[in-house]
Amino acid sequence: MAQSDTAADGNDEKVNLRLPKDFLADLDEQWQEQGYNSRSEFMREALRDAVYGTRLSKRALEDLLESERQFEEDETVSAEEARERFGTNE
């Protein structure tokens, strides 16, 4: 149900928004670092996520939370240690 990020097709409506300058500077830094083509593209994606929710499955979210817990509890290993454990060079 997401709209495309292409140019306005006649169904789009322009929205004006006031943001603090410091926040806008942070926003601009983020869209550029994350590889978006424009501020508008980044904001449309952020708003879609806010309205329609994340696109990750419940299982994927659970796995991410478990990974975060493992990291916080120092239950992770380096990539080198994992390769040694599983006997792989990849």
Side-chain angles (χ1 to χ4, degrees):
M1 187 161 194
Q3 297 268 339
S4 72
D5 285 332
T6 57
D9 62 2
N11 291 322
D12 294 340
E13 188 169 331
K14 184 177 182 177
V15 176
N16 292 315
L17 180 65
R18 290 185 181 271
L19 300 171
K21 289 180 182 180
D22 290 345
F23 179 74
L24 189 58
D26 291 342
L27 186 143
D28 285 339
E29 184 178 314
Q30 284 299 309
W31 73 259
Q32 293 170 15
E33 284 180 7
Q34 294 181 32
Y36 285 86
N37 293 319
S38 67
R39 179 192 289 166
S40 293
E41 180 184 345
F42 177 79
M43 292 180 73
R44 280 191 298 271
E45 182 72 17
L47 291 169
R48 270 194 295 275
D49 285 347
V51 171
Y52 300 119
T54 181
R55 291 179 175 85
L56 296 176
S57 69
K58 183 178 178 182
R59 174 65 191 263
L61 290 172
E62 290 170 352
D63 289 346
L64 286 171
L65 288 171
E66 176 63 13
S67 293
E68 182 178 33
R69 184 200 64 74
Q70 290 171 340
F71 178 77
E72 289 172 355
E73 298 292 325
D74 201 27
E75 297 176 0
T76 59
V77 297
S78 68
E80 183 178 331
E81 186 178 343
R83 283 190 292 272
E84 288 175 14
R85 278 189 193 179
F86 296 104
T88 182
N89 292 328
E90 298 177 14

